[in-house]
Amino acid sequence: MRSTPLTRDYGHDLGAMLRRTDATSGLLYICNPNNPTGTLTSQSDLETFLPKVRSVISALLDSHR
């Protein structure tokens, strides 16, 4: 398991997540809003990010709205 530090405002660092994925990555998990910080990654940011994730990686988006 690899974790990625949050941004300065306690949000998901999608760029860092993308850089940390490689051929050995199997699942990318995003809790949105983030628990326990409560920060929300926007739908537009996720729509831009998800197509960039390698096709061999499953992305799990846990969204509580």
Side-chain angles (χ1 to χ4, degrees), residues 12-64:
H12 292 297
D13 190 338
L14 299 178
M17 286 181 183
L18 191 59
R19 288 187 298 275
R20 291 191 54 117
T21 61
D22 61 25
T24 65
S25 302
L27 176 69
L28 176 66
Y29 178 78
I30 299 173
C31 183
N32 194 43
N34 191 11
N35 184 5
T37 66
T39 55
L40 185 64
T41 303
S42 72
Q43 180 175 339
S44 62
D45 286 347
L46 290 170
E47 288 173 349
T48 301
F49 171 73
L50 289 173
K52 297 176 183 177
V53 177
R54 296 171 178 250
S55 62
V56 296
I57 299 171
S58 297
L60 174 61
L61 177 59
D62 184 4
S63 181
H64 302 282

Side-chain angles (χ1 to χ4, degrees), residues 3-7 11-13 16 20:
S3 61
T4 304
L6 299 174
T7 62
H12 292 297
D13 190 338
R20 291 191 54 117

